[in-house]
Amino acid sequence: MASVETSSSRPFHMVIFGASGFTGQYVVEEVARTLSEGPGGTLRWAVAGRSKARLEKVLEQAAAALSKPELRTVDIIVSDVKEPDSLAAMCKQAVIVLNCVGPYRFYGEPVVKACVENGAHCLDISGEPQFLEGMQLNYHSQAAEKGVYIVGSCGFDSIPADMGVLYTRDQFRGTLTAVESFLTASGGPEGTSIHDGTWQSAIYGVADSASLRSLRRKFNYQPLPVVGAKIKRRSALFFSNELQQYAVPFMGTDPSVVKRTQRLMAEEQQEIPVQYGAYAGVGGVGNIIKMLVAGMMFLLLIKFSFGRNLLIKYPEFFSFGFFTKAGPTRSQMKDSSFQFAFYGEGYTEGNDPSQGKPDGKIRTLVQGPEAGYVATPIAMVQAALTILNEPNSLPKKGGVYTPGGAFAKTTLIDRLHKHGIQFSVK
């Protein structure tokens, strides 16, 4: 299988843009752990961002954390998302740009544009449907012409869910028609938290929900066919027998990403689309009360600009300490983990999906370490390594893809499994 090599004019396999950001610093460390997995057993890489001093500090921290003093000499590219010439210069040097600069609704498009125009593949870790789908609408054709792959949501949003549905489909002996996923997360004695950059993305995403509906109308999509029993949407709060705790619909980007993947496979590969519902466990009554209070304040304040400013300024107060400006400590991350349980149904081998009710069920799991800053860097870096090492297994044409759309025929799941994001059938 041919791999993607660097050249004198494009010297780096990967450039991490936004390497000095909260998530970017952990992506730097994850790349440093996987250098032997690059094409031919080597990986040429660089870090990029606005401040050379901050990038040098990140490399110093990574060298100390991993006991790898050679990281201090990793190449640095000074590039600013607000300066198109500097973005172009960065993209010309990279086979793949790993874009860690968010919120993506503000800073994502200039990077995608520069990558497409200058022939670099681009991965991001966005959980913002409007950005992700806007990039598909505006850049898919250009990326296809250039042979460039733009793959969004390559972190915890939404590789575990999107690849998890495909894994469940592939493990089912027959025709899978519907899947529900149930997410749970656990922390150690010090609890857990999420950096407020994710909180800001959620604020802008909810505030922009009307414009997202307008954007989707521009695709002129036809409804996907429903095969088998139509999946029943659960209520806003319910007791999950699957989790043995209360659960709510998952408000992240996973449902929209999975649906885009299933649409691609139905329209371009004539496969039966899998219906999908996503839910998250919230625990006991105490957590429900906190969630309801926080949710009511969030939905009230999100309607007004002064309210959004309050939410952005005081994330800890309005989220009961779940989102913080400092983010989780390394100790908190070490003790945290996530699990997706997928419950699927379909028609077993030999049974016609157009006749009668589904007669088969399957349960699979995707389990991994702390979601935001351990699993996300692993997923992003392994996705990038997949592009580098398995270009012949990607879609025939470039374009803007979901993870499932890009990596369905690759060994990404095996790569993730080796790095602690594990897929299994129960």
Side-chain angles (χ1 to χ4, degrees):
M1 184 178 294
S3 60
V4 177
E5 292 297 339
T6 55
S7 64
S8 57
S9 60
R10 201 176 289 273
F12 304 115
H13 290 112
M14 295 184 198
V15 171
I16 305 169
F17 183 51
S20 59
F22 191 83
T23 306
Q25 64 183 322
Y26 295 111
V27 175
V28 168
E29 293 181 15
E30 187 59 28
V31 169
R33 292 186 187 99
T34 59
L35 298 181
S36 64
E37 297 176 37
T42 61
L43 189 70
R44 301 179 182 89
W45 64 298
V47 295
R50 287 181 299 172
S51 168
K52 183 178 181 182
R54 289 184 64 190
L55 293 167
E56 288 173 340
K57 184 178 179 182
V58 164
L59 292 174
E60 185 73 33
Q61 290 173 341
L66 301 178
S67 300
K68 291 188 173 186
E70 66 272 17
L71 295 181
R72 298 184 180 95
T73 63
V74 169
D75 287 275
I76 291 173
I77 301 172
V78 176
S79 184
D80 191 331
V81 73
K82 297 179 181 178
E83 297 176 1
D85 289 347
S86 72
L87 286 180
M90 173 188 72
C91 293
K92 287 175 181 176
Q93 298 179 68
V95 176
I96 306 177
V97 172
L98 278 60
N99 182 19
C100 302
V101 179
Y104 289 91
R105 75 186 297 269
F106 295 130
Y107 306 121
E109 184 168 3
V111 182
V112 171
K113 183 174 185 290
C115 284
V116 170
E117 291 177 349
N118 294 283
H121 308 306
C122 182
L123 303 183
D124 67 56
I125 45 176
S126 172
E128 304 166 44
Q130 184 174 7
F131 164 74
L132 296 164
E133 295 177 41
M135 294 306 95
Q136 181 182 352
L137 181 69
N138 295 329
Y139 292 96
H140 181 74
S141 296
Q142 289 174 254
E145 290 172 8
K146 290 271 192 174
V148 165
Y149 295 92
I150 308 296
V151 190
S153 54
C154 284
F156 178 73
D157 293 321
S158 290
I159 278 182
D162 203 17
M163 300 305 294
V165 171
L166 296 184
Y167 175 81
T168 306
R169 179 200 67 179
D170 292 343
Q171 296 298 315
F172 185 74
R173 294 178 180 177
T175 302
L176 189 72
T177 57
V179 173
E180 289 182 313
S181 69
F182 296 85
L183 170 66
T184 51
S186 61
E190 297 180 33
T192 187
S193 66
I194 299 177
H195 189 260
D196 79 325
T198 303
W199 173 254
Q200 291 183 36
S201 294
I203 291 168
Y204 296 126
V206 174
D208 277 346
S209 57
S211 56
L212 176 59
R213 289 190 291 272
S214 174
L215 169 69
R216 286 173 172 166
R217 284 194 289 270
K218 295 178 182 177
F219 284 97
N220 294 317
Y221 284 144
Q222 296 299 311
L224 284 173
V226 174
V227 178
K230 187 172 183 178
I231 199 167
K232 294 179 181 179
R233 302 299 173 188
R234 311 226 190 178
S235 58
L237 176 65
F238 64 96
F239 186 81
S240 166
N241 290 321
E242 294 84 359
L243 298 178
Q244 288 297 299
Q245 62 176 273
Y246 285 95
V248 297
F250 183 60
M251 301 303 291
T253 195
D254 290 352
S256 65
V257 171
V258 169
K259 189 169 185 178
R260 287 169 59 210
T261 296
Q262 295 303 315
R263 179 176 293 280
L264 173 77
M265 293 184 168
E267 293 179 350
E268 296 196 6
Q269 301 170 23
Q270 289 70 54
E271 296 186 9
I272 291 176
V274 177
Q275 302 172 71
Y276 179 60
Y279 303 95
V282 295
V285 174
N287 286 343
I288 292 172
I289 293 171
K290 286 182 181 180
M291 185 192 70
L292 290 174
V293 172
M296 286 189 290
M297 288 193 296
F298 186 91
L299 292 174
L300 175 65
L301 293 172
I302 203 79
K303 298 177 181 179
F304 312 101
S305 63
F306 80 89
R308 292 192 290 272
N309 289 335
L310 282 175
L311 289 169
I312 291 168
K313 192 172 183 180
Y314 303 108
E316 293 182 54
F317 176 78
F318 289 109
S319 69
F320 290 95
F322 192 63
F323 293 92
T324 68
K325 290 187 177 293
T329 64
R330 287 183 184 266
S331 179
Q332 285 178 314
M333 288 188 276
K334 182 181 177 182
D335 293 333
S336 298
S337 62
F338 77 88
Q339 175 179 289
F340 275 101
F342 296 88
Y343 290 79
E345 68 174 23
Y347 296 81
T348 55
E349 289 176 339
N351 287 328
D352 186 348
S354 66
Q355 302 292 324
K357 295 181 179 180
D359 65 330
K361 295 183 181 296
I362 186 173
R363 177 174 177 250
T364 63
L365 297 178
V366 178
Q367 299 165 291
E370 190 276 336
Y373 314 103
V374 182
T376 286
I378 290 170
M380 187 183 212
V381 173
Q382 290 304 314
L385 287 167
T386 301
I387 290 178
L388 289 172
N389 287 305
E390 303 179 44
N392 295 336
S393 298
L394 299 174
K396 291 180 180 179
K397 292 183 178 180
V400 179
Y401 290 98
T402 58
F407 302 121
K409 297 181 180 179
T410 70
T411 65
L412 176 59
I413 287 176
D414 294 332
R415 293 173 182 274
L416 294 170
H417 201 88
K418 292 175 183 175
H419 287 267
I421 299 177
Q422 298 178 331
F423 294 67
S424 61
V425 179
K426 296 295 179 185

